[in-house]
Amino acid sequence: MAKKSYDWVAIKLEFVKSSLSTRDFAEAFDIPYSTFSKKVMREQWENERKQIGSKLEAKSVEKSIDNRADELAEFEATTLRAIRMAQADVIDKIASCKKAGEIKALSNALVELQKGYRLALGASTENQATGTATDFSQWLESIDNGELGTGRSSA
């Protein structure tokens, strides 16, 4: 009886890509198990399978990270557009305010919008370039007391 010939290159390629056990693979391709297992061990096909599996897993994680980064960037861009629109509305309303309390509420809204905007950009939510919250509170108090623009100070 003639010895059966196998396309070992094609078989190796299929084996390395598959997740079948050595025995199941040999049965599926109608190769005697002992012949196949010796070939797999001698040429270290299992090691190649593991390396490819590790590379595939790393590539999958990388793709997942890229997808999440794209989604986050899109979400942040949408958030920034919404904050810009809300900011424009608040600024328009400040111009028509007659009471200091309304101005104070809208100013607080602007501060919160600024924090959201800075957070979406990955910056600190504290604006270190401006005065302290105490300075801002004092300014609002001076508006409430009618002192702003009079040159008077309660200090």
Side-chain angles (χ1 to χ4, degrees):
M1 183 161 143
K3 190 175 183 183
K4 189 173 179 181
S5 130
Y6 298 101
D7 182 355
W8 288 112
V9 173
I11 292 170
K12 177 183 178 182
L13 181 62
E14 287 300 318
F15 177 76
V16 170
K17 292 188 316 183
S18 83
S19 59
L20 293 174
S21 69
T22 306
R23 183 173 301 281
D24 291 341
F25 192 91
E27 287 176 11
F29 282 79
D30 197 26
I31 303 170
Y33 174 70
S34 62
T35 302
F36 185 68
S37 64
K38 287 176 187 174
K39 182 87 169 164
V40 168
M41 287 195 317
R42 185 175 52 253
E43 296 181 10
Q44 299 181 345
W45 290 4
E46 288 282 354
N47 289 341
E48 288 184 50
R49 180 190 259 185
K50 288 176 187 172
Q51 288 174 353
I52 288 173
S54 296
K55 288 178 184 177
L56 180 63
E57 186 176 332
K59 197 72 163 167
S60 174
V61 168
E62 182 181 326
K63 181 74 173 162
S64 177
I65 289 169
D66 288 346
N67 288 344
R68 288 180 181 187
D70 290 344
E71 188 173 334
L72 179 60
E74 183 180 324
F75 179 80
E76 296 296 354
T78 301
T79 300
L80 291 171
R81 282 191 300 275
I83 290 171
R84 276 189 227 109
M85 290 186 323
Q87 181 187 36
D89 287 347
V90 170
I91 290 170
D92 287 345
K93 287 182 175 137
I94 286 176
S96 64
C97 284
K98 304 267 188 266
K99 297 178 183 174
E102 292 173 346
I103 293 173
K104 183 177 183 177
L106 290 171
S107 296
N108 285 337
L110 280 175
V111 168
E112 293 304 314
L113 288 169
Q114 179 190 34
K115 286 180 183 178
Y117 199 87
R118 293 177 64 79
L119 184 63
L121 292 173
S124 167
T125 57
E126 297 301 319
N127 188 352
Q128 292 95 7
T130 63
T132 64
T134 306
D135 295 338
F136 185 69
S137 296
Q138 289 171 348
W139 178 75
L140 290 174
E141 280 180 36
S142 67
I143 291 173
D144 286 338
N145 296 333
E147 297 169 355
L148 194 64
T150 64
R152 298 183 314 193
S153 173
S154 61

